[in-house]
Amino acid sequence: MNILEMYKRLSKEDKSHLTVYCIYDSIYDVARNENIEISDEVAMEIQELAHEIYLDDEYYNMSASQIAYFLTGCYAQDNSFLDKVEDYEYSDILQAVVDDDYNFFKDEEMER
């Protein structure tokens, strides 16, 4: 059976979760590439943040996977990233994705 046939056989519920599945795929792809372990709790936190940012994105039109990949990369560099990112607007995070600025959340710390 080819992939298209498999897709057609997915339930409506599974099809409605494809974006979230893609986010998780990106999270675990980065973890593999960075050789880090990501707990289920962290994966869910990154997924929820990535999905919220994706849904809120009206200007940049980024993919959910691209956002998740970036957020996971930030987490891989600094395990406290998820605590620090709470202080940022989604537009600031999206701009950091565009700029490929994995240190955007560290720059403000240095200014303080």
Side-chain angles (χ1 to χ4, degrees):
M1 179 181 336
N2 68 35
I3 300 294
L4 176 58
E5 289 301 317
M6 291 169 60
Y7 170 78
K8 288 179 180 180
R9 291 179 184 221
L10 289 175
S11 69
K12 285 184 179 184
E13 183 179 4
D14 279 337
K15 285 180 183 176
S16 73
H17 296 297
L18 287 175
T19 300
V20 173
Y21 293 155
C22 289
I23 290 171
Y24 280 126
D25 186 57
S26 295
I27 291 167
Y28 288 110
D29 187 41
V30 172
R32 252 186 324 278
N33 290 340
E34 296 291 330
N35 223 7
I36 61 169
E37 291 288 324
I38 296 219
S39 69
D40 289 350
E41 181 181 311
V42 168
M44 288 188 293
E45 194 171 341
I46 293 171
Q47 178 275 313
E48 289 169 2
L49 178 60
H51 196 246
E52 287 175 19
I53 292 171
Y54 168 73
L55 293 175
D56 192 62
D57 178 11
E58 294 178 7
Y59 177 72
Y60 296 97
N61 297 314
M62 300 231 172
S63 72
S65 294
Q66 187 176 9
I67 295 166
Y69 198 92
F70 177 82
L71 295 176
T72 310
C74 289
Y75 177 80
Q77 289 183 13
D78 183 345
N79 290 351
S80 65
F81 167 72
L82 292 171
D83 295 326
K84 295 173 184 175
V85 78
E86 292 174 356
D87 297 332
Y88 288 87
E89 299 290 326
Y90 291 166
S91 59
D92 295 333
I93 298 169
L94 287 166
Q95 187 61 54
V97 176
V98 168
D99 295 340
D100 203 29
D101 182 5
Y102 286 87
N103 294 311
F104 77 100
F105 63 98
K106 295 177 182 177
D107 295 339
E108 191 171 291
E109 282 179 357
M110 290 179 201
E111 292 174 8
R112 290 182 189 172

